[in-house]
C-alpha cells in the first residue's frame, strides 16, 4: 500500500452530524453564488483527502465509494501524482502545446499508444474533459470517413456539451430544455442482459438491424459505445455483443469508438475495459482516472484515422496541460510499479463477493454486476426486473450520515454504483457493505 495513505487515517470516523455545521455554513454561501444548475449530491465540503478517505471541514472521515465519479482510481492525493504535478508546475505551467511543445504531452501519448488495445501504430490528441474527448472522436471519425452519421446506444452517457448532450439517452437532467441539439445522431438498442434476456449475438443483431434500417451503414461515420455503460447503471453487455458490433463496423467502414472515459485506465483491472470483451476499437476515449484528479482527456486510435484531420483542426488552449500530463505519466508509472491492476481485481473479489452475499439476504437486490473496481447493484421488485426507485435514495441518505459516500446511477435511478479507489482496504469495503446491509434492513 502507498505509504502516503497512512497520513490520513484510512477509517470511517464520524465526529459531527453529517453534514456538520461548517459544511452547512459553506453550503449556505454556495447557494448564494453557485448556479443552481450545478447539482449538490451531498451538502458536504471536503478539507483534505488521501487514499480512500475524504476528511470534511468538520473533521468527519468519509469513506469515498464514488471516487469523484471514477476519477480517483489510484487513490486521493497520491504522493507520486502530487510530486509529478508540483515538479512540472515549478518548471513550466503552460506553453500551449500547439505553439511550443513539452515532453509530458508526448509521453502521455506514448503510454496511451502502448496501453490501448490493438497492435498497430496509434496516435493521440489530448483535451480537457471526457465530453471534449468524445466530441473530438466524432470529429475525427467524420473527417476520416467523409460521412456524418453518429450511432450511440440506449442508456448511454457521453457528456454535457451540445454534441454529447444529443448523444445521451436520458433527457433529465442532461437534455431537458437545452435544445436544439446536434443532428445526425442515432440511438439504437443496447445489450442489457438483466432486462432483455438476449444473448450477445441476438442483441447485436437487433442493434445492427435497427441501424441498417433507420440510418444505413454507408451513412454512418462512427458507432460510439461505452463497453460498460456508466451513468446508465454499469450495464455489462452480454458476451459476444461488442465483438459483433466491432465486426459490423469493420465490414462497413464505420469507425468504432470505445468511450472509456469511465471504464478506462485500469478501473476494471485491465487498462481498458474493451480488453475484457476481446475487442480492438478504432478509437478510444480516456479521461477521469487518467491523471489522479487533474483535468486531462484524450482520443487515441489508429494512426491513419487520427491523422485524417488537417493541422489546426484539433486542439485547444489548455488541452494536454503540462501539470495534468505530468500527473498522468505518474499514474501510469504507479500502476506498473505497485501492480495496482491486481488491486482492482482484489476490490472486485472482496466487494462483489460481499454484495452477492447481501443479495441472498435482501431479495430487493435484483442483480450484482460489474468488473474490477466498477461494480453495481440494481434494485428491483423481488423476483422481477421492475425497477425499485425508492431504495437507492434511502441507502445513500442513510450511508452519508454514517460517513459512507455512495453514488446512484441507472436510467431508473435504481442502481447503486461503486467506484472506489483500488487502494481501498478490504476492511473498508466490507464495512461499506455492512452499512448498506443496515440501511436495507431499515427500509
Ligand atoms: C462514458 C462517459 N463519457 C463521457 C463522459 C463525460 O466526461 P466529462 O464529465 O469529463 O466531460 C462521462 C462522464 O461521466 C462518461 O462516463
Amino acid at each position: 500500500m502507498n505509504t502516503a495513505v497512512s497520513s490520513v487515517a484510512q477509517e470511517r470516523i464520524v465526529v459531527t452530524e453529517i453534514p456538520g455545521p461548517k459544511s452547512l455554513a459553506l453550503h449556505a454561501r454556495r447557494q448564494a453564488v453557485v448556479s443552481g444548475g450545478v447539482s449538490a449530491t451531498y451538502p458536504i465540503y471536503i478539507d483534505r483527502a488521501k487514499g480512500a478517505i475524504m476528511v470534511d471541514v468538520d473533521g468527519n472521515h468519509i469513506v469515498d465509494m464514488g471516487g469523484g465519479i471514477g476519477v480517483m482510481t489510484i487513490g486521493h492525493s497520491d504522493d507520486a501524482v502530487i510530486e509529478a504535478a508540483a515538479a512540472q508546475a515549478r518548471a513550466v505551467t503552460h506553453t500551449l502545446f500547439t505553439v511550443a511543445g513539452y515532453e509530458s504531452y508526448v509521453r502521455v501519448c506514448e503510454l496511451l499508444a502502448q496501453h490501448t488495445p490493438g497492435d498497430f501504430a496509434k496516435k493521440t490528441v489530448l483535451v480537457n474533459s471526457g465530453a471534449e474527448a468524445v466530441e473530438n472522436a466524432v470529429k475525427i471519425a467524420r473527417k476520416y470517413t467523409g460521412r456524418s452519421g453518429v450511432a450511440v446506444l440506449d442508456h448511454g452517457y457521453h457528456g454535457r456539451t451540445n454534441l454529447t448532450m444529443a448523444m445521451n439517452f436520458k433527457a433529465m437532467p442532461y437534455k431537458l430544455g437545452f435544445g436544439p441539439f446536434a443532428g445526425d445522431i442515432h440511438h439504437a438498442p443496447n445489450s442489457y442482459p438483466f432486462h432483455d434476456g438476449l444473448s450477445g449475438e441476438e442483441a447485436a443483431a437487433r442493434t445492427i438491424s435497427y441501424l441498417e434500417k433507420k440510418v444505413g451503414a454507408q451513412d454512418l461515420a462512427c458507432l460510439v459505445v461505452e463497453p460498460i455503460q456508466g451513468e446508465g447503471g454499469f450495464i455489462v453487455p452480454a458476451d459476444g455483443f461488442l465483438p459483433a458490433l466491432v465486426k459490423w463496423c469493420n465490414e462497413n467502414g464505420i469507425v468504432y469508438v470505445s468511450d472509456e472515459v469511465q471504464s478506462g485506465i485500469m478501473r476494471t483491472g485491465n487498462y481498458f475495459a474493451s480488453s475484457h470483451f476481446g475487442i480492438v476499437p478504432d478509437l478510444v476515449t480516456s479521461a477521469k482516472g487518467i491523471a489522479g484528479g487533474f483535468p486531462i482527456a484524450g482520443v487515441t486510435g489508429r494512426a491513419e484515422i487520427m491523422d485524417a484531420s488537417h493541422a489546426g483542426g484539433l486542439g485547444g488552449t489548455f488541452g494536454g496541460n503540462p501539470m495534468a500530463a505530468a500527473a498522468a505519466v505518474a499514474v501510469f508509472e504507479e500502476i506498473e510499479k505497485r501492480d495496482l491492476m491486481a488491486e482492482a481485481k482484489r476490490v472486485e473479489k472482496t466487494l462483489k463477493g460481499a454484495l452477492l452475499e447481501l443479495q441472498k439476504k435482501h431479495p430487493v437486490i435484483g442483480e450484482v454486476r460489474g468488473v474490477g473496481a466498477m461494480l453495481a447493484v440494481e434494485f428491483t421488485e423481488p423476483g422481477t426486473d421492475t425497477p425499485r426507485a425508492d431504495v437507492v435514495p434511502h441507502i445513500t441518505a442513510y450511508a452519508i450520515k454514517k460517513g459512507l459516500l455512495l453514488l446512484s446511477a441507472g436510467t431508473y435511478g435504481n442502481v447503486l454504483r461503486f467506484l472506489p479507489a483500488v487502494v481501498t482496504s478490504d476492511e473498508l469495503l466490507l464495512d461499506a457493505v455492512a452499512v448498506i446491509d443496515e440501511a436495507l434492513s431499515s427500509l
Side-chain angles (χ1 to χ4, degrees):
M1 166 146 329
N2 182 6
T3 49
V5 168
S6 60
S7 65
V8 166
Q10 296 296 294
E11 276 177 71
R12 183 164 61 88
I13 306 172
V14 177
V15 295
T16 68
E17 280 200 2
I18 300 176
K22 290 183 181 161
S23 272
L24 287 175
L26 267 169
H27 198 57
R29 280 172 58 195
R30 170 202 184 122
Q31 280 169 323
V33 293
V34 176
S35 162
V38 181
S39 63
T41 307
Y42 298 107
I44 56 169
Y45 291 79
I46 302 306
D47 179 54
R48 58 192 193 281
K50 199 86 187 161
I53 300 289
M54 297 193 293
V55 184
D56 74 7
V57 285
D58 294 287
N60 298 296
H61 283 48
I62 295 168
V63 180
D64 185 7
M65 295 298 281
I69 314 202
V71 170
M72 308 316 303
T73 313
I74 76 164
H76 283 278
S77 299
D78 181 88
D79 274 0
V81 171
I82 296 167
E83 284 314 314
Q88 180 65 62
R90 282 189 293 270
V92 54
T93 58
H94 179 80
T95 62
L96 211 171
F97 187 76
T98 57
V99 174
Y102 39 89
E103 193 200 349
S104 52
Y105 189 117
V106 178
R107 186 68 192 129
V108 175
C109 298
E110 287 170 348
L111 287 161
L112 283 167
Q114 184 184 339
H115 293 300
T116 45
D119 190 15
F120 40 76
K122 293 177 210 148
K123 292 193 176 182
T124 290
V125 56
L126 296 177
V127 291
N128 303 288
S129 69
E132 210 187 324
V134 174
E135 286 239 5
N136 275 280
V138 170
K139 269 171 71 169
I140 293 162
R142 282 177 166 165
K143 186 80 177 174
Y144 175 71
T145 58
R147 308 171 181 176
S148 64
V150 175
V152 290
L153 298 185
D154 290 348
H155 301 282
Y157 175 79
H158 302 286
R160 285 184 172 87
T161 56
N162 186 263
L163 177 63
T164 55
M165 273 196 295
M167 296 167 70
N168 295 339
F169 178 71
K170 228 172 153 176
M172 189 63 192
Y174 305 122
K175 299 202 244 191
L176 220 66
F178 293 132
F181 301 109
D184 223 352
I185 311 287
H186 306 277
H187 294 253
N190 69 340
S191 162
Y192 197 160
F194 180 58
H195 286 281
D196 64 28
L198 298 178
S199 71
E201 288 72 20
E202 289 164 343
R206 180 176 66 171
T207 308
I208 290 166
S209 144
Y210 185 90
L211 287 171
E212 284 185 339
K213 288 202 178 75
K214 194 174 172 224
V215 198
Q218 64 276 22
D219 271 356
L220 280 175
C222 56
L223 169 64
V224 184
V225 177
E226 298 161 81
I228 298 175
Q229 291 180 313
E231 301 293 307
F234 288 15
I235 303 167
V236 183
D239 281 349
F241 177 70
L242 297 179
L245 293 187
V246 172
K247 183 167 176 282
W248 176 72
C249 284
N250 292 344
E251 286 167 358
N252 289 280
I254 301 164
V255 175
Y256 185 95
V257 182
S258 199
D259 182 355
E260 295 243 22
V261 164
Q262 195 156 162
S263 59
I265 316 293
M266 204 257 319
R267 167 63 53 196
T268 61
N270 250 323
Y271 270 108
F272 289 90
S274 295
S275 306
H276 288 290
F277 303 99
I279 60 165
V280 177
D282 297 312
L283 301 180
V284 176
T285 56
S286 309
K288 288 195 184 277
I290 189 170
F294 286 83
I296 189 169
V299 185
T300 305
R302 293 182 186 275
E304 67 274 20
I305 301 178
M306 293 300 298
D307 278 342
S309 173
H310 48 270
L314 308 178
T317 302
F318 289 116
N321 165 271
M323 278 93 70
V329 173
V331 166
F332 279 105
E333 286 173 357
E334 290 305 294
I335 290 171
E336 296 294 323
K337 233 189 272 169
R338 286 152 56 197
D339 193 10
L340 293 177
M341 218 82 86
E343 295 299 302
K345 293 182 178 114
R346 173 189 58 80
V347 168
E348 174 177 343
K349 188 161 177 277
T350 304
L351 186 54
K352 202 174 190 179
L355 292 169
L356 285 166
E357 280 304 308
L358 200 65
Q359 186 180 27
K360 292 183 189 155
K361 188 171 165 192
H362 299 283
V364 74
I365 298 181
E367 189 177 46
V368 175
R369 58 174 177 255
V371 188
M374 187 173 185
L375 301 171
V377 170
E378 178 162 351
F379 296 95
T380 52
E381 291 294 348
T384 76
D385 74 341
T386 309
R388 272 281 298 265
D390 59 320
V391 183
V392 172
H394 171 78
I395 296 174
T396 53
Y398 181 97
I400 196 67
K401 288 189 189 320
K402 304 276 178 185
L404 171 65
L405 190 151
L406 296 169
L407 292 177
S408 66
T411 300
Y412 310 104
N414 66 328
V415 176
L416 206 52
R417 61 172 147 174
F418 299 88
L419 289 162
V422 301
V423 296
T424 310
S425 66
D426 283 348
E427 291 72 22
L428 283 178
L429 297 171
L430 296 175
D431 176 65
V433 177
V435 173
I436 295 166
D437 187 9
E438 281 170 30
L440 281 169
S441 300
S442 72
L443 190 65

